[in-house]
Amino acid sequence: MKREFREGESMSTGIIDVRDWQVTVDFQTGNKIELENELTGMVREIIRNNRYPGDMDLRSIDWVTDMGLRLADKYNPDFMFLSYAQPYFFSAYGQGTPGEWESVMKRIFDNVEKFLAGTDFWPVVVGLGRMTDLLGKIDLSILDCLAIATNWSLQYAGLFNPTAEDVEKVMAMPKLEKVISKEDFVKEYGGSESFIKRFPDYLLTAEEGYTFKGFESTSRKIKKIPAKNIEIPIYTTLGEVNSLIDIRGLIDSVLPEKKVALIVIEAIGAGDFEYEYKLCSNKLNSYIYEHIESQYLAMTTGKHFQYHPFPPVFKFFEEDNENKSYPFSGSHYTLPQDTIGRRKDIKSGAVGTRGMVTHVASGADICIECYARQLSNMGTLAVINDTKNE
Amino acid sequence: MYAVVDGEIRERFPNTWSTYHATHIEQIPFFHAYPGSRSLLVGTAGCNFSCSYCMNAYVAKEKPENLDLFELTPEKLVKTAKLSGCHNIVFGVNEVTVSLPSAINLAKEAKLHNLPMGCLSNGYMTEEAAGLLADHMSFLNISLKSLSPEFYQKYAGVTDIKPVLRNIEKFAVKNHLEITTPIVQSVNDHEIEEIAKYIRDIDPNIPWHVFRLLPEYKMKDYAYPDIEKISEALQKAGEILPYIYFSNFVGSPWVSTNCPECGKTVINRISLGTCGAKLLNNLLLENRCPGCGEKIAVLEDYEKGIPGR
């Protein structure tokens, strides 16, 4: 079942399926490779026979479950990570009628039940926080400096090399909750060297219901954005969780004696959560997590956002060049090695409709995720990580 | 978007933009202009076509007054390009001719700061408009959707193909030109050889981007293009035209540039999906193949004019 590596190749393999056509790549370089073994054959077969329906298609909820069941059956992992992102897409970009939302919720929890009934995992189910109506945008394009506001982080924006006048203008902007300088942030939060190096000169936080527009924004209409979810609902019978970073420790404490499935559902708060939940903290000081990579990584590594390499806003375009490795992994130059899925004593699998984040945050031996960009359905990506078994 | 005011044609939403962000030029896509450079990609809203398969309908088919747009002067955009380390500016996202005065003013300002400007266009415009673009844009990528007037009538909502062909031929003489053709399965895939011949007859050095069109917008129920079949057709067309690319699917093996003389890969790229690609490495030595010395038609700063023509 193991891949044989040639000199210069990474220990991760990507298999891309774009309907009736597949290609295998070295995941570090992105270059095509020829590789056939039992494991790649198994993964190819799974993704070939279950096409991703698309971000705005309700059947994509079933897709996660079906893929998860197939992977659990064929690979028999000790740890499974499932990410249901569809509620986010429906909430942010859909029609948003109450009837539509109810059917999304029903389908989600029916699917979670189906997965759990078809496997023997102990569940840890987390709702990543409710959405709220978009009330308005704070326009940063009036500033002289580079003011970055991206769809990756809707509640936060960053200023780079602002003038004194820029800072003055920002301070007077309505609906702005907080402005924190890099210096003050580092004093309060600390953080990894790579995180601090990339951190903007000023980090801006919008009030609930507001987002930013500026350099890097798009005009795609968005109806709802993540609310200020200070706490998020969690269901598990495995033990107590006070903060989202405790999830890692809880799962670590029972693996490998118990098989565990960490199931995350985006855009769901306590009000929509169907299981008997407890609330856990979704923040650190004044920083509140959104449905982005930092929230996923906090759960799967047990470390808060400032100990990961990338702040909520940074100049990704400066690094997105031919020297960047792992081209299918967004901003990452290496795949994080401190995630649950990288534990050396377990087998792990992951399926998700939050592309890129699923394989980055789970670190699972086998990850299957949709390959969609800006709601365009490009197909499916599977990642096979072999390093920990070497 | 224009209105007649006091007997004059005026732009309705001057200097009003839907986006401004940095990307690499291969993503837009331009494969033979300034490889590996960073571009400030800008766009407005609206289009003069009504393509049934539009990928950017959220901005191209939406009325500008319904969108949350930016009011940005040419000076502000050029300053942003410089602050973000961009080598050039490209008008993309939607059709440039709906905002021609704004685009031209931006190009003029960019020129003052030695930033080349390019654009994407469907090529459907008057000779006068084409003349303005030819005068102010350093590089263009024109979408040639078909050679059939019926295709343009049925899928793009315009009556005639002639202006597009006329303008392509004009740009090819004066500007760095690349051409893109979206392939709709069973609708225009049979035209591959014919289009390759058409481009070759204008200039065999024109790069041709064949675009795997995902069934979207009003064509959601259409089939996904068959990659194997189209690849076979492109393989044959490669004997007609040396620089053919096939993209909009992740992992496409058709996004690198090979030397037409010795076959060596001289610019290596990777497809991450979407319309373009990403540079992995550029082996050209002053636009020449490092293997055999053949000149490759690539627009670069150290070349004045258009190399290889």
Side-chain angles (χ1 to χ4, degrees):
Chain A
M1 295 278 271
K2 283 191 178 178
R3 170 182 159 190
E4 289 181 8
F5 296 97
R6 296 194 188 116
E7 197 179 336
E9 286 182 356
S10 70
M11 299 297 194
S12 299
T13 305
I15 300 173
I16 295 156
D17 184 293
V18 295
R19 289 176 183 250
D20 303 323
W21 189 84
Q22 291 189 341
V23 66
T24 306
V25 296
D26 173 79
F27 208 57
Q28 181 174 340
T29 63
N31 287 322
K32 183 183 173 185
I33 54 171
E34 299 295 335
L35 182 69
E36 288 298 338
N37 61 34
E38 199 180 331
L39 198 57
T40 56
M42 179 194 87
V43 172
R44 271 184 216 292
E45 198 62 19
I46 291 176
I47 62 177
R48 181 182 292 122
N49 293 324
N50 200 5
R51 291 169 173 169
Y52 181 60
D55 286 346
M56 298 301 287
D57 191 324
L58 271 175
R59 291 172 299 174
S60 294
I61 296 169
D62 313 338
W63 182 86
V64 175
T65 312
D66 292 344
M67 284 291 201
L69 288 169
R70 284 170 204 233
L71 189 54
D73 178 49
K74 300 278 185 191
Y75 187 62
N76 192 25
D78 304 295
F79 170 73
M80 276 291 289
F81 179 83
L82 296 187
S83 147
Y84 291 94
Q86 256 62 44
Y88 179 88
F89 300 125
F90 283 114
S91 181
Y93 304 108
Q95 295 306 309
T97 61
E100 181 195 55
W101 186 246
E102 277 171 22
S103 64
V104 171
M105 289 299 99
K106 181 172 184 323
R107 201 151 178 159
I108 284 282
F109 284 98
D110 285 351
N111 269 274
V112 172
E113 283 295 316
K114 182 180 171 186
F115 178 78
L116 293 175
T119 58
D120 54 353
F121 290 102
W122 289 72
V124 177
V125 185
V126 187
L128 298 189
R130 71 178 175 89
M131 304 283 276
T132 189
D133 288 340
L134 176 66
L135 302 175
K137 293 184 180 178
I138 301 166
D139 188 358
L140 301 177
S141 69
I142 61 165
L143 303 177
D144 275 343
C145 67
L146 206 58
I148 298 181
T150 74
N151 281 359
W152 287 98
S153 181
L154 292 162
Q155 296 177 22
Y156 301 96
L159 307 186
F160 294 85
N161 296 318
T163 61
E165 196 182 335
D166 283 337
V167 176
E168 208 172 290
K169 276 186 194 169
V170 162
M171 293 294 188
M173 285 179 174
K175 309 304 177 190
L176 199 66
E177 185 174 276
K178 193 174 169 73
V179 180
I180 185 166
S181 69
K182 181 172 184 169
E183 193 184 352
D184 288 345
F185 180 91
V186 173
K187 268 187 212 157
E188 183 179 347
Y189 292 85
S192 70
E193 191 181 332
S194 54
F195 180 96
I196 293 169
K197 182 182 76 184
R198 294 181 171 102
F199 199 82
D201 295 305
Y202 286 86
L203 182 72
L204 316 182
T205 310
E207 286 181 10
E208 179 162 280
Y210 291 87
T211 186
F212 296 95
K213 57 184 275 195
F215 183 60
E216 305 269 286
S217 304
T218 73
S219 292
R220 189 183 287 279
K221 282 183 182 168
I222 188 163
K223 291 175 179 159
K224 285 178 185 275
I225 61 170
K228 303 276 183 184
N229 293 290
I230 292 168
E231 294 178 313
I232 52 176
I234 179 167
Y235 163 75
T236 181
T237 57
L238 293 172
E240 291 295 313
V241 171
N242 294 317
S243 160
L244 81 167
I245 62 165
D246 298 340
I247 292 169
R248 169 63 190 268
L250 176 71
I251 294 173
D252 270 346
S253 70
V254 297
L255 281 173
E257 285 73 30
K258 288 188 168 104
K259 292 174 70 173
V260 180
L262 174 58
I263 300 170
V264 301
I265 309 166
E266 294 198 14
I268 289 187
D272 288 313
F273 206 75
E274 288 196 4
Y275 296 131
E276 197 173 307
Y277 63 85
K278 290 195 172 170
L279 293 171
C280 76
S281 168
N282 183 47
K283 66 188 268 294
L284 175 65
N285 302 349
S286 63
Y287 180 84
I288 299 170
Y289 286 96
E290 303 175 279
H291 306 86
I292 54 170
E293 191 177 276
S294 62
Q295 191 183 32
Y296 277 79
L297 280 170
M299 288 186 285
T300 59
T301 64
K303 294 174 190 165
H304 272 302
F305 71 114
Q306 76 274 34
Y307 297 108
H308 300 293
F310 301 101
V313 186
F314 70 104
K315 294 196 260 187
F316 175 58
F317 57 85
E318 283 191 345
E319 304 183 42
D320 186 25
N321 54 37
E322 58 266 39
N323 301 315
K324 159 99 186 42
S325 51
Y326 290 94
F328 299 101
S329 303
S331 46
H332 289 267
Y333 288 80
T334 58
L335 298 180
Q337 293 298 308
D338 51 356
T339 50
I340 304 176
R342 295 284 76 212
R343 260 181 68 153
K344 291 186 190 306
D345 58 339
I346 59 163
K347 288 171 74 179
S348 54
V351 178
T353 44
R354 180 56 81 174
M356 280 195 286
V357 175
T358 299
H359 77 259
V360 167
S362 72
D365 304 346
I366 301 173
C367 310
I368 297 172
E369 62 190 38
C370 65
Y371 200 104
R373 299 291 179 268
Q374 305 217 351
L375 305 181
S376 273
N377 183 6
M378 302 274 165
T380 307
L381 168 69
V383 184
I384 302 174
N385 287 306
D386 286 359
T387 47
K388 70 183 186 183
N389 296 324
E390 292 300 301
Chain B
M1 301 268 177
Y2 304 94
V4 177
V5 180
D6 298 332
E8 274 186 25
I9 296 174
R10 300 252 181 94
E11 191 180 0
R12 286 178 63 205
F13 306 96
N15 299 325
T16 306
W17 308 87
S18 59
T19 189
Y20 64 121
H21 67 270
T23 187
H24 33 86
I25 198 164
E26 286 80 7
Q27 190 66 30
I28 293 174
F30 285 94
F31 283 4
H32 286 229
Y34 313 115
S37 64
R38 190 181 303 155
S39 307
L40 182 77
L41 181 62
V42 299
T44 58
C47 189
N48 58 349
F49 274 16
S50 52
C51 296
S52 310
Y53 48 77
C54 185
M55 284 180 70
N56 289 335
Y58 73 95
V59 65
K61 301 315 299 172
E62 192 67 67
K63 288 180 180 171
E65 51 266 49
N66 293 341
L67 290 169
D68 191 10
L69 302 170
F70 296 98
E71 299 271 342
L72 300 166
T73 62
E75 292 79 12
K76 166 72 180 175
L77 285 172
V78 168
K79 186 177 180 185
T80 304
K82 292 176 88 77
L83 283 174
S84 53
C86 289
H87 165 275
N88 53 70
I89 299 177
V90 180
F91 189 116
V93 186
N94 67 314
E95 170 54 36
V96 65
T97 51
V98 302
S99 306
L100 195 58
S102 292
I104 299 299
N105 287 338
L106 179 56
K108 286 177 182 170
E109 180 67 19
K111 193 173 183 182
L112 292 176
H113 296 267
N114 295 318
L115 297 177
M117 183 154 168
C119 70
L120 309 183
S121 172
N122 56 36
Y124 193 81
M125 65 191 87
T126 62
E127 281 188 89
E128 188 185 356
L132 281 169
L133 283 183
D135 286 346
H136 293 283
M137 298 290 159
S138 303
F139 48 103
L140 299 99
N141 189 327
I142 303 294
S143 179
L144 174 62
K145 300 171 192 308
S146 167
L147 289 174
S148 146
E150 290 76 27
F151 180 98
Y152 272 79
Q153 286 156 13
K154 185 170 180 184
Y155 296 102
V158 294
T159 53
D160 198 2
I161 189 179
K162 289 193 195 85
V164 178
L165 303 181
R166 177 195 67 212
N167 294 331
I168 282 175
E169 287 154 29
K170 181 184 181 95
F171 293 134
V173 173
K174 195 165 179 181
N175 304 88
H176 171 87
L177 177 65
E178 306 197 10
I179 290 176
T180 296
T181 299
I183 289 294
V184 185
Q185 188 76 44
S186 75
V187 175
N188 66 348
D189 52 333
H190 63 281
E191 290 190 75
I192 285 173
E193 188 177 328
E194 197 185 349
I195 296 175
K197 282 180 182 165
Y198 169 77
I199 296 171
R200 178 203 58 194
D201 291 347
I202 298 171
D203 182 342
N205 282 323
I206 294 175
W208 184 32
H209 302 260
V210 175
F211 186 81
R212 176 194 182 234
L213 198 72
L214 300 176
E216 299 203 32
Y217 193 44
K218 293 177 186 170
M219 293 178 80
K220 275 188 175 144
D221 298 330
Y222 277 61
Y224 278 72
D226 185 321
I227 291 170
E228 294 291 351
K229 271 190 186 171
I230 294 168
S231 296
E232 276 174 31
L234 293 177
Q235 199 71 43
K236 283 185 196 160
E239 293 165 15
I240 301 165
L241 195 63
Y243 303 117
I244 297 181
Y245 305 100
F246 182 24
S247 64
N248 204 32
F249 60 103
V250 198
S252 167
W254 284 87
V255 292
S256 292
T257 301
N258 299 323
C259 173
E261 191 60 31
C262 70
K264 181 181 172 65
T265 298
V266 292
I267 305 178
N268 197 17
R269 305 182 189 89
I270 179 178
S271 170
L272 300 179
T274 65
C275 52
K278 186 177 174 187
L279 184 73
L280 289 181
N281 52 35
N282 177 1
L283 302 173
L284 289 176
L285 301 170
E286 297 208 335
N287 285 355
R288 290 189 181 276
C289 170
C292 68
E294 174 75 3
K295 191 150 190 171
I296 308 293
V298 169
L299 182 65
E300 276 287 9
D301 283 332
Y302 55 81
E303 293 275 353
K304 297 295 176 196
I306 303 161
R309 302 277 168 88

